[in-house]
Amino acid sequence: MDKLGLIILAGGLSTRMGQPKALLPWINGESLISHALRKGLDADIQDILISIGDDEQLGLAIQTHIIDTLSNDEKNKVSIVRDSVGRCGPLGGLYSTLAVGTSSAYAVMAVDMPFMEMDLYYDWLYQVEHNDWNVIVPYSESGKSEPMAGIYRPYIASLIQSILVGENVSLHHALDVIGHVESIDATDFSWELSNINRFEDYQWARALAENEFRRVPLISVVASKRKTGKTTVVTRLVSELQKIGLSVGVVKSDKHGFQMDHEGTDTDLVYKAGADAVAIAGPTETAIRIRTKEQSNLYEISQFMPVDIVILETRSQGIAPIIEVTQEGYTEELISDPMDRVATIEIGKLDQDVPELVRHIQEMMRSLNGRRYC
């Protein structure tokens, strides 16, 4: 293969999401579009084409955002392409970019596939033992082909153009017409091939991304006022998560101070004598008491706990991903950022809300473990 370029499809109308996917915030200050773009730049792709659709207002917003995130050297590698054929969905974006492409082949990355990696495209290229192909398409665990993560020759643009004048302008139909399509087994990469269509999908995908590089994954439980029921929710979550095999730690803030040890015990006496830290190890539990000049950072404490997942209980806005606890009728007083908030739980609806929440956490933990140890 002479040269592999990258096409980022970012021009969808995002009707199910309710807002443009490309501009949704991701992690580390990135948006979904800048996250995808960074993957191509980090892989030293010299030819990156970004399809921004045919909606003028959306296209301008994406274009302005992209330009603001690039250095001058990076701008030379990136071209922004507006659809030359209107309202034809991903196939229209693919046609418009391939028609101006100069690389030997293009990896296609949908902007709503944030876990897709450039290395996979190169692996798939090497799996094809001959050069007589037009398209390389992975198929997922469900057996479904995933053309939004395929590799395409630019010379098929003329074939796509003839399809665009017909009634069926789906990518799957186009593959049938184009021919010489190589299928690649990608059943071990279901998370990489997953896309985010609904806001709930986006929230949990971002929760996974936030936790991926933490030593210990965490989730925050917050509330805007005292006596809302945070501890009730945390207790229920601990119980339910342990039932599915997860060890759970809890870190709680206390602005009023607390007394951990019993009055008159040996550890209490040496601590009062001035020891900066006291630890006691018993047959079934260990306790460490450390003197601090200011309140310790809850996140730092969580990362030293020998558990699968930590729940932070705090009245502050917490650390993403966040569960916010409310009483019935108080949803207008939510304090957490909706982009960080994966769930809102009314204290009177625990039996309804907790099972779904546990299911999402279990799925997140499975995906985390799969990505860390694959």
Side-chain angles (χ1 to χ4, degrees), residues 236-247:
R236 180 71 176 270
L237 277 177
V238 169
S239 175
E240 297 300 323
L241 291 173
Q242 286 182 329
K243 287 178 183 178
I244 61 173
L246 294 175
S247 60

Side-chain angles (χ1 to χ4, degrees), residues 50-165:
I50 302 178
S51 167
I52 58 173
D54 64 336
D55 185 286
E56 185 173 353
Q57 185 174 359
L58 174 59
L60 180 60
I62 293 175
Q63 183 171 334
T64 302
H65 176 74
I66 291 170
I67 291 173
D68 288 343
T69 64
L70 298 177
S71 67
N72 289 331
D73 289 340
E74 292 169 340
K75 289 175 184 176
N76 294 329
K77 301 178 182 180
V78 179
S79 299
I80 297 171
V81 181
R82 193 179 295 274
D83 283 5
S84 57
V85 181
R87 303 298 174 183
C88 288
L91 190 63
L94 183 62
Y95 163 71
S96 300
T97 46
L98 288 178
V100 300
T102 57
S103 293
S104 301
Y106 283 89
V108 169
M109 182 184 295
V111 76
D112 63 355
M113 287 183 169
F115 299 104
M116 193 62 192
E117 300 293 343
M118 289 302 305
D119 288 348
L120 282 179
Y121 295 107
Y122 290 107
D123 289 344
W124 297 339
L125 273 175
Y126 295 138
Q127 287 181 42
V128 179
E129 297 179 352
H130 60 86
N131 210 32
D132 184 25
W133 56 268
N134 290 331
V135 185
I136 298 174
V137 177
Y139 62 87
S140 62
E141 192 174 15
S142 65
K144 177 185 174 183
S145 63
E146 299 290 346
M148 299 281 276
I151 304 172
Y152 295 80
R153 302 277 200 186
Y155 57 68
I156 66 171
S158 59
L159 296 175
I160 296 176
Q161 185 179 31
S162 65
I163 298 170
L164 290 174
V165 299

Side-chain angles (χ1 to χ4, degrees), residues 220-224 228 230 312-319 322-326 335-336:
S220 298
V221 175
V222 308
S224 62
T228 304
K230 295 192 306 296
L312 302 185
E313 181 186 338
T314 174
R315 276 189 66 193
S316 70
Q317 294 186 16
I319 300 170
I322 295 171
I323 302 165
E324 183 152 356
V325 183
T326 70
I335 59 172
S336 56

Side-chain angles (χ1 to χ4, degrees), residues 349-365:
K349 297 180 179 179
L350 287 185
D351 291 339
Q352 173 183 323
D353 295 339
V354 168
E356 181 69 6
L357 179 57
V358 169
R359 183 185 68 80
H360 278 296
I361 294 175
Q362 184 179 31
E363 183 177 333
M364 179 185 74
M365 295 300 293

Side-chain angles (χ1 to χ4, degrees), residues 20 97 197 340:
T97 46
N197 289 315
D340 296 334

